Amino acid sequence: MLEHGGRLLGAARTYGIAPEAWLDLSTGISPFAWPAPVVPASVWQRLPEDDDGLIDIACAYYGAPHLLPVAGSQAAIQMLPNLRPASRVGVIAPGYNEHAHAWRRAGHVVESLSASSLLADPSRYDVIVLVHPNNPGGERFERDALLACHAALAARGGWLVVDEAFMDATPQDSLCSEAHREGLIVLRSCGKFFGLAGARAGFVAADPALLEALRERLGPWTLSGPTRHVLKLALADRAWQATARTWLQGMSDRLAAVLLRHGMAATAGCAFFQWWQHAHAEAVHVALAKQGILTRLFDTPASLRFGLPTEEAALRRLDEALGALDLKEMLR
């Protein structure tokens, strides 16, 4: 099992600080969560039904012609490598490390490289996996460059897999509308933007034949009835979505400003997080944890990802905690 953010209980035990006393900035999940309602008892009492209207609502939200609901994009990440024969796979690095892990575990030959290297020579690969915007590196890609890469791969029966888990704040940059093209696979997560990580829900946009093959592998009832009920409401709530996009970008900008004020100019970021790369990132991670603030530590490259605080008071707490550190000495 690979390391991920959100391991609050482990941090509480390590540092002897009660879980409720922490400021958890270790994930990229939006703290501005969609207000999920009480689920009717009847939804709990019936098996999920595929023709409940969820797909139509999701296709309208994502602008995709075809979608398959999955138990979080992680379910698709783990299963997609099993749908291909042995392949040469290029995966963006640094990036969400479950991608490379899943392809290697399925027996494929995997190279982890920068996005620029992957896009410069797609002929070296049968599959290229990108994250857009990237996590944690923050890279963004021109639509024409992505479609050119896809065309080069698809001409040889290859795939371009684009993980758009953090795309909801900038939906105009999504490739979902192009996912009818054979060999283009787009992954979407409902946990990040809607703050519904516990629902374990996402979608795959691709051509119908590939979605059917994936559905056969995953089996029935990939999403629970309560999750489907909540998603239908959240994906249709356009007013909340517009408010959330404004809130996310504003809080992300304010977070970047706090880091900059303490000499920690963000290396990259997006509406959901800021990423700071430095050789002494671990020392800052530990020093903040001793004050009850949890960040996401990366070893390669040494760096910290700061998720968004829930409110201005939490942002001030981070500001004060950084101010209490002797950062000039720590970062020498």
Side-chain angles (χ1 to χ4, degrees):
M1 296 288 289
L2 301 180
E3 287 292 324
H4 297 283
R7 296 177 179 266
L8 181 60
L9 296 181
R13 289 190 294 269
T14 298
Y15 293 95
I17 301 172
E20 60 271 16
W22 284 80
L23 171 57
D24 186 3
L25 305 180
S26 68
T27 80
I29 299 164
S30 172
F32 187 81
W34 184 76
V38 174
V39 176
S42 60
V43 176
W44 289 103
Q45 294 161 358
R46 294 183 59 84
L47 285 172
E49 299 185 74
D50 291 339
D51 57 354
D52 61 358
L54 173 61
I55 293 299
D56 290 338
I57 293 171
C59 285
Y61 173 76
Y62 291 112
H66 310 286
L67 289 170
L68 177 70
V70 291
S73 52
Q74 181 65 33
I77 290 169
Q78 292 179 202
M79 189 56 68
L80 282 172
N82 297 307
L83 300 184
R84 286 192 63 91
S87 300
R88 298 166 298 164
V89 183
V91 180
I92 188 172
Y96 184 54
N97 55 16
E98 289 286 353
H99 286 290
H101 181 63
W103 286 94
R104 287 194 180 101
R105 186 171 53 190
H108 302 275
V109 177
V110 177
E111 291 185 26
S112 297
L113 297 170
S114 68
S116 59
S117 297
L118 296 174
L119 292 171
D121 190 9
S123 65
R124 295 179 55 193
Y125 306 101
D126 303 304
V127 177
I128 289 179
V129 181
L130 300 174
V131 184
H132 185 209
N134 192 20
N135 167 32
E139 293 97 325
R140 292 170 173 80
F141 308 105
E142 293 293 332
R143 186 183 192 85
D144 289 346
L146 291 175
L147 292 178
C149 178
H150 161 258
L153 291 165
R156 298 180 287 102
W159 290 356
L160 174 63
V161 181
V162 184
D163 182 345
E164 293 186 349
F166 293 99
M167 183 59 77
D168 297 70
T170 53
Q172 68 276 6
D173 296 329
S174 174
L175 284 185
C176 278
S177 63
E178 304 296 333
H180 58 280
R181 304 184 188 209
E182 186 174 346
L184 178 59
I185 303 165
V186 181
L187 310 181
R188 298 297 293 257
S189 168
C190 300
K192 308 298 190 300
F193 178 67
F194 291 97
L196 297 174
R200 303 308 308 134
F203 292 88
V204 181
D207 72 87
L210 188 142
L211 293 182
E212 179 60 22
L214 185 58
R215 188 187 70 81
E216 287 291 330
R217 288 295 190 106
L218 292 172
W221 308 308
T222 56
L223 295 182
S224 71
T227 293
R228 297 180 72 99
H229 173 82
V230 167
L231 287 184
K232 285 191 293 181
L233 299 174
L235 293 172
D237 192 345
R238 297 306 177 92
W240 180 90
Q241 293 158 18
T243 301
R245 291 186 181 105
T246 300
W247 186 93
L248 284 165
Q249 194 57 64
M251 182 58 81
S252 185
D253 289 345
R254 291 193 290 279
L255 173 60
V258 166
L259 296 177
L260 180 61
R261 184 157 56 247
H262 295 282
M264 300 170 61
T267 306
C270 66
F272 295 85
F273 59 82
Q274 294 294 324
W275 184 54
W276 176 69
Q277 185 178 343
H278 196 281
H280 299 303
E282 183 174 6
V284 177
H285 171 78
V286 171
L288 288 174
K290 289 178 178 178
Q291 298 185 66
I293 298 177
L294 186 60
T295 57
R296 175 72 164 90
L297 175 65
F298 293 87
D299 296 325
T300 307
S303 55
L304 294 182
R305 189 186 64 196
F306 292 81
L308 303 185
T310 55
E311 56 191 359
E312 293 298 329
L315 188 63
R316 287 196 299 272
R317 178 177 171 183
L318 174 63
D319 192 7
E320 292 167 1
L322 289 171
L325 303 179
D326 188 354
L327 285 172
K328 284 189 178 180
E329 181 63 26
M330 293 177 67
L331 304 182
R332 286 177 60 181

